[in-house]
Amino acid sequence: MRRRAANLFAGTWACAYAAFALAQEPLAVCVAERNPPYAARTKGVASGFDVALAAAIAARLQRPLKLMWYEIEIEKESSPTLEVNALLSAGLCELAAGYVLYEPALGAPAVPTARTPDHDGAKPKRQRPWIKLGPLIASEPYQASALTVVLRPGLEGASVGSLADLQALRTGAVAGSLAGSILMLYRDGALQNKLVSLGWRDDPLAELEAGKFDAALIELNRLDAYRMRNAGTRLVATGYHLPLRFNLGYAAPESKRELIESVNAILRDLQAQGRLSAIARDAGLTHVPARAPFVQPEITLHSLREAAGG
């Protein structure tokens, strides 16, 4: 009996110690640097919606928060989803914030290995090892990324209720982007002679404000970030959002399913309390509620034509 009691005590103590140790282990979350209003780091001070939300989740889990900052590449040949998978598969973080819930970017990876992107403590790219990638799972969404139409100063009286209203306007379009593709495909090219082609490194909102064209179809969070940098901007927000939108959530390795379930419960609670929209507002982000389907199926030419309205 004494031996049984001792074994029971030892087992209970071991479980309690394991739970205590996990509670003390930092929650490592990967966040993209220079990505306001989602995440930014200025002189060592972190800010943004993803930063504040990760802090709220870590507090609920009773774990300190550790942010792993990584760089977003804007080159066409880069693959952010594979690079984020490499960060997670290498164990540099348990969760990746702001992950696009897109069917091809979840589950088994398209290639077996990838290198991590530039991140805190990273070696030069050529010296980084190739990381064996694993399947990814995702949390429920906490925000949606929407495309909106913005007008240049001087068009305050114009009304935009659909893409059809752009037929009378010169519209900037980044070649090869989702927005650019939708504009090109709209009603079998009805807008093509009104499009002004832009490169990947161009700033559509700055050029719009300079009057180089009349309108832009742009991600709403990019408009939020532009407003943060340019308090006196006279750009005209139309309030029109394209029906097609992508939900954002957390990505994690398949082995972190229990953590994802805990995160889902916290996200539901924050949503019910109105905290998600409050955190977004404080970060300067327009909160766009997620819309079903939570995970966007693979985009095809047919679905793009549907999104473009023709």
Side-chain angles (χ1 to χ4, degrees), residues 38-39 48 79 89 128 132 135 141 147 163 166 184 187 211 215-216 241 247 254 270-271 280-281 287 296 303 306:
Y38 287 113
S79 175
S89 296
R128 291 176 218 157
K132 182 179 179 181
L147 290 166
L163 294 184
L166 297 180
M184 287 288 291
R187 292 187 180 175
H241 297 165
N247 295 323
E254 199 170 42
L270 292 174
Q271 175 66 37
R281 182 181 62 249
H287 181 59
Q296 172 67 43
S303 60
E306 285 189 335

Side-chain angles (χ1 to χ4, degrees), residues 4 14 23 96 169-170 184 205 207 237 254-255 267 278 295 302 306:
R4 287 183 181 178
L169 303 171
R170 296 173 67 249
M184 287 288 291
L205 294 174
E207 298 201 16
E254 199 170 42
S255 60
L267 289 175
V295 177
H302 175 71
E306 285 189 335

Side-chain angles (χ1 to χ4, degrees), residues 53-246:
L53 182 58
I57 290 173
R60 293 287 188 98
L61 293 173
Q62 298 183 344
R63 297 173 63 181
L65 176 64
K66 176 184 177 182
L67 297 176
M68 169 57 71
W69 296 90
Y70 69 93
E71 295 279 354
I72 295 177
E73 294 288 345
I74 63 173
E75 303 297 336
K76 289 185 178 181
E77 61 270 16
S78 68
S79 175
T81 57
L82 294 178
E83 291 177 342
V84 169
N85 190 320
L87 290 168
L88 292 165
S89 296
L92 293 172
C93 49
E94 296 175 82
L95 300 171
Y99 197 79
V100 178
L101 304 189
Y102 182 47
E103 196 170 274
L106 295 169
V111 297
T113 61
R115 282 189 170 119
T116 59
D118 291 340
H119 60 85
D120 287 352
K123 295 180 179 179
K125 190 166 187 176
R126 290 187 178 181
Q127 296 180 24
R128 291 176 218 157
W130 289 88
I131 305 297
K132 182 179 179 181
L133 306 181
L136 296 186
I137 58 175
S139 71
E140 295 174 8
Y142 54 73
Q143 167 79 358
S145 177
L147 290 166
T148 187
V149 173
V150 186
L151 303 177
R152 65 169 172 79
L155 292 179
E156 286 79 2
S159 175
V160 176
S162 71
L163 294 184
D165 295 320
L166 297 180
Q167 293 181 86
L169 303 171
R170 296 173 67 249
T171 303
V174 176
S177 68
L178 176 64
S181 299
I182 288 173
L183 292 170
M184 287 288 291
L185 291 170
Y186 178 72
R187 292 187 180 175
D188 295 323
L191 298 176
Q192 286 187 21
N193 65 344
K194 290 287 188 176
L195 298 183
V196 178
S197 183
L198 302 172
W200 283 84
R201 293 186 178 276
D202 292 330
D203 185 341
L205 294 174
E207 298 201 16
L208 178 63
E209 184 128 49
K212 294 184 179 180
F213 37 85
D214 303 314
L217 181 64
I218 199 83
E219 293 88 349
L220 184 55
N221 63 284
R222 289 186 68 176
L223 176 60
D224 290 335
Y226 186 84
R227 285 170 165 167
M228 291 171 68
R229 298 193 308 270
N230 303 275
T233 180
R234 294 173 53 236
L235 291 179
V236 181
T238 62
Y240 168 74
H241 297 165
L242 197 75
L244 174 68
R245 60 185 62 175
F246 288 84

